[in-house]
Amino acid sequence: MTSNIGNGNDPSQAGHSGHDHAEHPGMAHDEEAGYYAVRARAMESLLVEKGICSPNEIQTMVDRIEARSPADGAKVVARAWSDPAYKSRLLNDPDGALADLGYRMPENSPKLDVVENTESIHYLVVCTLCSCYPRNLLGRPPDWYKSLAYRSRAVVDPRGVMREFGFQVPDSTEVRVLDSTADLRYLVLPRRPDGTEGMSEEQLAELITRDSMIGVSEARSPQTATAS
Amino acid sequence: MPQVHDRGGWPTDEPIDREEHVLSDWELRVDAMHNVLSYKGLRRTDEMRRAIESLSPETYEACSYYERWTAALEILLIEKGVVSKEELDLKHAELQG
């Protein structure tokens, strides 16, 4: 497999023949100082030497990315469940509604659409091409979201995929799969579970899982939440 | 046949592996570098996608997620003249000691 790869865009192969890592580029992440780990350090060093960015800037960004999590999305959904006016604003003007809660999307970030799951329509989000995902609200996508299996199967067998996640969509519910792009991302507004009347936004947020905001499952019921 | 990255509807019965791997430090930093460069106007999401999509099918399939991101970053930095391949190779050799 390694001998004749090459369309000019295979950095792993360049200047590297006969080296172990060239044989197994996909395994390098588990090895200490694998090919790509070193390559990444080399790029970082050069960017720093050339004054393009500082190690500190990169570390600050690492921390910022790490700080994002599905708790952010859950806060937004909990507000939408609790306040119908906010919900309609979120569906019609996501950027404005998010800014209300202190989530300002960076200037160059792609458009975000918020879609609402109901009894009649269930949305499921995938990125068949790569891994587009509302990172600002959910953090990094889980590994399975980026997996070839999910990307392949979500568009042809969404019900089967959701069953794998333990979620059976009723036959009477229409399933719509949304394929994200570099220019448009989606956040699913899951259905509010029964038996949650009178719960505070903080309590509601506990029920709102990452997977329910991707659409592969639904929000937890208060019973499940107490049991776990 | 669609291109290698265009996975929607590819025939497979492979179950979805829901195990998460813990990111290594270099993976975190590659992610961050992409973001920092994006803020500085040196990298755009669609450029990055195009770079990833230009990898050969063999490399694409063999690489982990952040390995692809690393390969794409290299393509973009060289293309934009931010670094040259020669200096990158040199630095790489130096770091490998």
Side-chain angles (χ1 to χ4, degrees):
Chain A
M1 147 201 131
T2 52
S3 58
N4 53 7
I5 298 177
N7 58 3
N9 270 340
D10 276 312
S12 70
Q13 305 304 317
H16 200 65
S17 54
H19 191 285
D20 283 345
H21 294 133
E23 306 281 333
H24 305 289
M27 295 166 73
H29 59 282
D30 278 323
E31 296 166 24
E32 206 176 323
Y35 171 83
Y36 287 99
V38 178
R39 206 64 178 168
R41 271 170 58 210
M43 283 191 264
E44 181 177 342
S45 277
L46 288 174
L47 290 174
V48 171
E49 277 171 30
K50 288 167 186 281
I52 291 166
C53 58
S54 67
N56 194 32
E57 272 178 294
I58 296 173
Q59 188 55 50
T60 305
M61 186 60 80
V62 168
D63 297 340
R64 234 170 94 184
I65 297 172
E66 288 287 283
R68 300 174 187 153
S69 80
D72 296 316
K75 225 166 91 179
V76 174
V77 171
R79 171 66 59 89
W81 280 354
S82 308
D83 177 350
Y86 183 80
K87 177 169 119 181
S88 105
R89 182 155 150 76
L90 182 66
L91 293 170
N92 295 308
D93 171 22
D95 284 354
L98 291 169
D100 288 354
L101 293 190
Y103 298 108
R104 253 170 230 295
M105 299 296 118
E107 235 173 79
N108 57 357
S109 69
K111 184 177 180 311
L112 178 82
D113 256 10
V114 180
V115 291
E116 183 184 14
N117 279 348
T118 64
E119 203 178 338
S120 48
I121 299 176
H122 182 91
Y123 289 99
L124 170 76
V125 180
V126 64
C127 176
T128 60
L129 297 177
C130 186
S131 57
C132 290
Y133 189 77
R135 291 166 196 250
N136 288 311
L137 293 169
L138 300 184
R140 284 197 182 85
D143 285 343
W144 60 257
Y145 184 83
K146 308 181 281 193
S147 71
L148 300 180
Y150 181 71
R151 286 161 53 192
S152 303
R153 291 179 50 208
V155 286
V156 280
D157 182 23
R159 287 175 194 267
V161 166
M162 288 187 271
R163 268 196 305 275
E164 254 179 74
F165 281 81
F167 174 40
Q168 177 87 40
V169 185
D171 288 344
S172 55
T173 303
E174 181 190 338
V175 171
R176 292 188 188 171
V177 179
L178 298 170
D179 197 355
S180 316
T181 69
D183 304 307
L184 179 59
R185 276 127 207 227
Y186 300 97
L187 180 78
V188 172
L189 187 59
R191 290 177 67 193
R192 180 171 175 162
D194 293 336
T196 55
E197 300 74 18
M199 287 176 74
S200 70
E201 283 182 36
E202 289 74 20
Q203 290 169 319
L204 289 170
E206 295 290 318
L207 308 176
I208 302 158
T209 60
R210 175 195 67 201
D211 291 0
S212 71
M213 292 182 277
I214 302 174
V216 285
S217 67
E218 52 188 350
R220 299 153 84 199
S221 70
Q223 293 77 13
T224 329
T226 328
S228 65
Chain B
M1 212 35 202
Q3 283 184 276
V4 65
H5 65 274
D6 191 359
R7 294 314 270 215
W10 278 40
T12 174
D13 294 325
E14 198 190 326
I16 293 155
D17 179 1
R18 287 157 70 190
E19 182 113 7
E20 286 296 304
H21 89 283
V22 179
L23 293 182
S24 310
D25 185 59
W26 74 268
E27 295 177 296
L28 298 174
R29 297 188 82 82
V30 166
D31 194 344
M33 267 191 278
H34 271 281
N35 277 275
V36 167
L37 293 172
S38 187
Y39 276 99
K40 292 178 187 283
L42 281 167
R43 169 265 190 215
R44 299 179 58 93
T45 304
D46 17 23
E47 287 176 325
M48 139 87 161
R49 278 259 323 277
R50 194 245 311 143
I52 287 189
E53 291 166 11
S54 76
L55 297 172
S56 75
E58 293 81 359
T59 301
Y60 189 93
E61 300 259 6
C63 280
S64 71
Y65 184 73
Y66 282 108
E67 288 173 348
R68 286 183 212 133
W69 277 45
T70 306
L73 188 60
E74 171 169 347
I75 290 169
L76 292 180
L77 291 180
I78 291 175
E79 199 174 272
K80 288 166 187 271
V82 176
V83 303
S84 73
K85 175 142 174 24
E86 292 67 33
E87 56 188 351
L88 192 52
D89 286 342
L90 208 65
K91 181 62 82 183
H92 189 128
E94 196 183 301
L95 289 173
Q96 222 158 24

